[in-house]
Amino acid sequence: MGRDKALLPWPPNHRPGGTLLSAAIRLLTAQTDFVIVVAGSNAPQLELVVYAEGAFLVENLHPELGQFSSLRVGLQDVLSRGRDAAVVTLVDRPPVQPGTLHALLAGFESAIHRDKWAVVPEFNRKHGHPIVVGREMIEAFLRAPASSNAREVRRANQEFIEYVPVDDPFVTLNVDTPEDYAALTGSAPISG
């Protein structure tokens, strides 16, 4: 991308200073107890946004181990704060609609009574984020070998996952390239 994806302006042409990260924090803060942002070596660049939005910053001391290591750092912090469920999302995508998050949280509340460990949004038969995970899924992520990834752990526990159909294309969109971002914003590609 040429720059930190979390700090890309969002929403486009609106609210000066807003970023993908700040928009995600605001979305989650409205419907959860608190928000934890896991950062790697970019922690100094993210902390101003994180603290301005009232979230917590946790640093992954080994970001070279990959995204799964950051997930595990964040989930361990969730447990350390006395919670046994979490909403997990990525910052390389625009935040979902508030109604989508509400549907996922309601779906999770219902699913746990059917012995499900997590709910995952589904748009046009594609799975996405955010996901809502309960204690059992958190522990499955934490027990998995460090060389695993979240997709492998989810597949290994497929019978405990419920998919929630949503009408929100943002659950499946990633912003990996300047062209991806330009397509979402209707702007010219970003240069480093």
Side-chain angles (χ1 to χ4, degrees):
M1 178 61 83
R3 63 190 280 196
D4 196 322
K5 292 187 277 188
L7 298 178
L8 290 172
W10 194 266
N13 309 317
H14 192 272
R15 191 175 180 217
T19 63
L20 284 174
L21 177 59
S22 64
I25 293 170
R26 286 192 303 275
L27 170 74
L28 293 169
T29 299
Q31 297 190 51
T32 62
D33 292 340
F34 56 86
V35 175
I36 299 167
V37 176
V38 180
S41 59
N42 62 343
Q45 291 79 34
L46 300 184
E47 65 185 7
L48 181 64
V49 172
V50 171
Y51 297 139
E53 295 293 342
F56 297 94
L57 182 69
V58 178
E59 190 170 350
N60 178 357
L61 299 177
H62 301 286
E64 70 278 2
L65 297 177
Q67 190 178 61
F68 189 60
S69 69
S70 292
L71 172 64
R72 291 160 50 114
V73 166
L75 291 176
Q76 187 60 62
D77 199 63
V78 166
L79 295 180
S80 296
R81 292 175 190 270
R83 299 305 193 277
D84 60 1
V87 178
V88 178
T89 195
L90 306 169
V91 295
D92 65 344
R93 61 185 61 227
V96 298
Q97 297 300 312
T100 299
L101 181 57
H102 180 75
L104 293 170
L105 292 169
F108 179 74
E109 286 295 322
S110 174
I112 59 175
H113 298 294
R114 292 185 300 281
D115 297 320
K116 299 295 183 180
W117 298 356
V119 296
V120 174
E122 184 176 70
F123 177 76
N124 285 345
R125 298 166 62 187
K126 292 170 96 177
H127 304 146
H129 284 87
I131 65 171
V132 184
V133 296
R135 179 75 180 223
E136 296 87 351
M137 186 59 83
I138 291 172
E139 289 177 358
F141 284 131
L142 294 175
R143 281 192 312 267
S147 60
S148 296
N149 63 50
R151 183 172 286 141
E152 291 170 352
V153 175
R154 282 181 21 210
R155 282 186 185 146
N157 294 287
Q158 193 66 33
E159 71 269 23
F160 300 110
I161 297 174
E162 186 163 302
Y163 295 93
V164 176
V166 297
D167 187 22
D168 188 340
F170 284 177
V171 301
T172 59
L173 290 178
N174 288 323
V175 178
D176 292 325
T177 67
E179 293 78 19
D180 292 342
Y181 181 70
L184 285 173
T185 65
S187 66
I190 305 170
S191 60

